[in-house]
Amino acid sequence: MNNSLKDLRAERGWSQAHLAELLDVSRQTVISIENGKYDPSLPLAFRIARVFGQPIEAIFQEDEA
Amino acid sequence: MNNSLKDLRAERGWSQAHLAELLDVSRQTVISIENGKYDPSLPLAFRIARVFGQPIEAIFQEDEA
DNA sequence: TTTAAAGGTAAAGCACGCTTTACAAAGGAG
DNA sequence: CTCCTTTGTAAAGCGTGCTTTACCTTTAAA
């Protein structure tokens, strides 16, 4: 799974720490998701979508075959 | 997280075993998600959405406050 | 030059997502 | 009644999602 978290966050001028607060997760979690270490849980994906005002499918993309 | 998996599956007349095959997961996984034992991973949520031809947000709903 | 903010890595620990195997109960078909 | 399908539970095992703490590097401001 790819995601555009880093871009969306940059567009808004938010730090990783600030985004982590908005999402109610640790800064480590934001770093790990942005850098593709793992995918968020579904509930967290919903919070991310809400924070950025976009559908989940607009932020996360399945790896192409 | 609530989901309408059971209804969507019933509408199509599929067994849990058949849906599990379509999603490439075990039958146990389908049962557990339908019965709310846990939420699917994000990649699996994408496959579920694709199988039913609906956006993730149409199938899964965050618990209301 | 010192300080602070921002991004990153590492490692240990816990809970959850998913697997496999096995067993059980209910309903319909023969 | 017997057989098969469907749904469900239980339990053990593995990898991942997320946490906390600690430390490092780069950049910019005082």
Side-chain angles (χ1 to χ4, degrees):
Chain A
M1 295 256 335
N2 289 335
N3 70 71
S4 38
L5 220 62
K6 221 160 193 161
D7 293 339
L8 290 167
R9 183 173 61 79
E11 286 172 9
R12 286 159 180 75
W14 293 344
S15 69
Q16 292 175 335
H18 178 62
L19 177 56
E21 275 180 25
L22 293 178
L23 296 174
D24 197 32
V25 293
S26 69
R27 188 169 65 90
Q28 255 320 304
T29 296
V30 170
I31 292 175
S32 296
I33 295 172
E34 283 193 351
N35 294 343
K37 301 223 173 151
Y38 51 72
D39 298 317
S41 67
L42 189 55
L44 178 50
F46 267 86
R47 300 208 296 283
I48 293 171
R50 183 153 34 81
V51 159
F52 290 113
Q54 299 194 10
I56 291 179
E57 283 88 346
I59 304 180
F60 299 90
Q61 304 87 36
E62 286 184 292
D63 294 327
E64 62 235 71
Chain B
M1 295 259 331
N2 288 335
N3 70 72
S4 37
L5 219 61
K6 222 161 191 157
D7 293 340
L8 290 167
R9 182 173 62 81
E11 286 172 10
R12 287 160 179 74
W14 295 343
S15 70
Q16 294 174 334
H18 178 62
L19 176 56
E21 274 179 27
L22 293 178
L23 295 173
D24 196 32
V25 293
S26 68
R27 189 170 65 90
Q28 255 318 302
T29 295
V30 169
I31 291 175
S32 296
I33 294 172
E34 281 193 354
N35 293 344
K37 301 223 172 154
Y38 52 70
D39 298 318
S41 67
L42 189 54
L44 178 50
F46 267 85
R47 300 207 295 281
I48 293 171
R50 184 152 32 85
V51 160
F52 290 114
Q54 297 194 13
I56 291 180
E57 283 88 345
I59 304 179
F60 299 91
Q61 305 88 35
E62 286 184 293
D63 295 328
E64 63 236 69

